[in-house]
Amino acid sequence: MTRPTSEAASVSPKVAPGQWFRVRAPLTRRLRVLLAALSFVLPIAVWSAVSYLPFIWHPDVLISDPGEVDYFLPGMRVDKATFAHELANARAQQSALPAGQPCNPVYLPSPGAVLAAFYVSFTTPPADQNGLWLHQSLWMSIQTIFWGFVISSLIGVPLGLFCGAHSGMARLVEPFVEFFRYLPAPAFGTLAVAVLGIYSGPKIAIIVIGTLFQQILIIANTTRKSDFSLVEAALTLGSKNLRLLTHVIVPSVLPDLYRDQRILLGWAWTYLIVAELIGATTGISLFITQQARYQHYANVYAAIAMIGILGLGTDLVLAALGRKLFPWDRGNI
């Protein structure tokens, strides 16, 4: 296995102007940073344009003056067709005309409203006396993800390694795992509550069910990609069974296994909301559910963004740690 030196890895490849988009074109560090920034800037720019430019898409009207329309209220949103109909009726009857401004539906707040909600959500005390602050709910969700992923990894990583290294073990385990991974984890919610109660147990169980079976297959597949020449050489020198697995196969694919775990951790986050809606409603999902019930969609977007920030932040930390642990694989971690 050829390992690039740290000096070679630090050299930025040359990219001709306009050539960065061709297949497998090398990218300079500056270009990678620029493209990564644009991946966030472009969606936010589209969102801002839709939110702040009325001629793009403002299908509703925000009522500022209801005139003599009896069911209009200040601050109410109605679609443009309804507003135009009531405006025409008011003109025909020579009554006070309603007034309003074009706006988007309540479920699509502007980036500014979401940004404000992001701050207000953390600084506003819970409405319920026994309720939790948002940071407390977020911490509970982080603990659910952590324990769910730890339990899944304690079972899935060793089992995946054995399946990837031993054909017999793979034939014994993988057919059932292949079947089970198609079963939706939320379907086990009622059973999890019956077995584990109504507190954190069912939520952690859903995270485990959602990630474990994929984890076994992914780890097994990565283990099979170990360099066969290294395995043959180790067998020739007398290494076998557990020693072959732990001293040859696992070290040869360790950076890839680490990368698999990063991807699977992100997978665990996607099960969080479903898991927290089962049994006791706590954590960040409780906040999202309550805010959606009262149509505070800016707060809902802010809470969803928090999950994304936490997930991405965790992944960036793990990527940085991976570069320290596996310096020969710096270009891929």
Side-chain angles (χ1 to χ4, degrees), residues 75-97:
M76 180 181 179
R77 295 170 192 252
V78 296
D79 60 76
K80 282 186 174 178
T82 301
F83 182 80
H85 177 73
E86 297 298 343
L87 184 62
N89 285 342
R91 282 174 177 161
Q93 297 171 5
Q94 296 185 340
S95 57
L97 301 179

Side-chain angles (χ1 to χ4, degrees), residues 22-204:
R22 61 187 172 84
V23 175
R24 295 195 173 183
L27 301 177
T28 62
R29 178 178 175 79
R30 177 181 296 180
L31 190 54
R32 289 200 302 270
V33 172
L34 176 62
L35 293 175
L38 283 176
S39 71
F40 285 91
V41 170
L42 290 177
I44 293 175
V46 172
W47 183 15
S48 299
V50 172
S51 299
Y52 297 121
L53 300 177
F55 58 88
I56 293 183
W57 191 65
H58 275 46
D60 291 351
V61 175
L62 181 65
I63 303 298
S64 57
D65 182 357
E68 292 189 12
V69 181
D70 54 1
Y71 68 91
F72 277 5
L73 296 171
M76 180 181 179
R77 295 170 192 252
V78 296
D79 60 76
K80 282 186 174 178
T82 301
F83 182 80
H85 177 73
E86 297 298 343
L87 184 62
N89 285 342
R91 282 174 177 161
Q93 297 171 5
Q94 296 185 340
S95 57
L97 301 179
Q101 298 294 325
C103 67
N104 281 333
V106 67
Y107 58 77
L108 186 62
S110 66
V114 173
L115 192 61
F118 201 95
Y119 172 76
V120 171
S121 299
F122 273 105
T123 55
T124 304
D128 186 354
Q129 185 178 3
N130 298 321
L132 298 174
W133 285 72
L134 180 57
H135 68 273
Q136 293 173 314
S137 297
L138 208 52
W139 176 240
M140 294 183 69
S141 297
I142 292 172
Q143 292 181 74
T144 300
I145 287 289
F146 175 80
W147 287 115
F149 191 69
V150 165
I151 293 172
S152 174
S153 298
L154 288 175
I155 303 171
V157 172
L159 203 51
L161 289 173
F162 279 114
C163 288
H166 296 277
S167 301
M169 191 72 174
R171 294 299 301 171
L172 178 64
V173 173
E174 290 192 18
F176 177 76
V177 173
E178 287 277 7
F179 160 75
F180 210 94
R181 75 187 179 103
Y182 288 104
L183 305 183
F188 295 89
T190 305
L191 182 62
V193 171
V195 175
L196 300 171
I198 60 172
Y199 297 104
S200 297
K203 295 180 287 185
I204 294 173

